[in-house]
Amino acid sequence: MRSLLLTLILVATLGASAQQNVKLKRRDYKRDVELTTTEGRIVLRLSDSTPYHRDNFLRLVKSGYYDSVLFHRVIKGFMIQSGDPNSRRVAAGQGLGNGGPGYLIPAELRATLFHRKGVLAAAREGDGPNPLRYSSASQFYIVQGRTFTDAEMDSIEVARLQGRKIPPDRRAIYKSTGGTPQLDGNYTVFGEVLEGLDVVDRIATTPTSTAPRDRPVTDMRILKARLVKRKV
């Protein structure tokens, strides 16, 4: 475990140093991220309580990293995933999901940030090869989710959350607004959708293929990602 931790830290450090050519300015921290997609516009606000993920995402956006990448994995009632650079010029029917800038981001699991509808979170490898739950540096997902009953959440607490309880206020949100409570505490949430939930819904409900699994039949693409001035 210790050797794996040191290896992951080294990888993350090397990746971070490779990104230092993209400088963040003070005003960047007060800006939102606009994704112009083939289905419309999504505006994201990043969380200041996850600074590693925030700063990394800002640098990638400023560098143009997300321009022309696909939403390569879409599951109705669950989430839409993007950020694989290999998806820019990929042939139909080709599998995706393994691309990235070559480093990882340490987990920033915050009790105040949970998987309600519209949150932005980092994809990652499973616990087997990744017990410390390090995040992919570039691949992210936006939660569409669905609503849950108390009985369903009781089951999730046992089967997926290792007995961790879903607080009453969070249960109320999952029952009314929806989300993916089964992911809480397992993946880093680092932002939220301010505008464009309708766009998320359109992408999430597009027809997908079975081979490769969950790839949209019609390409759903981020045309341009950029920092924009906050309205509020």
Side-chain angles (χ1 to χ4, degrees), residues 27-73:
R27 68 171 180 265
D28 294 335
Y29 296 105
K30 298 298 181 182
R31 293 189 173 184
D32 293 324
V33 175
E34 178 189 71
L35 304 180
T36 301
T37 80
T38 50
E39 300 305 300
R41 177 173 172 267
I42 300 171
V43 178
L44 304 167
R45 179 159 298 173
L46 308 184
S47 173
D48 292 332
S49 64
T50 52
Y52 295 142
H53 288 74
R54 177 200 63 197
D55 290 6
N56 178 72
F57 200 75
L58 289 172
R59 288 192 178 99
L60 291 178
V61 169
K62 288 189 72 172
S63 72
Y65 191 93
Y66 291 114
D67 297 353
S68 297
V69 301
L70 296 177
F71 286 96
H72 64 271
R73 182 172 178 242

Side-chain angles (χ1 to χ4, degrees), residues 171-184:
R171 278 180 172 252
I173 292 172
Y174 285 138
K175 287 192 288 186
S176 60
T177 304
T180 54
Q182 66 271 30
L183 301 182
D184 284 349

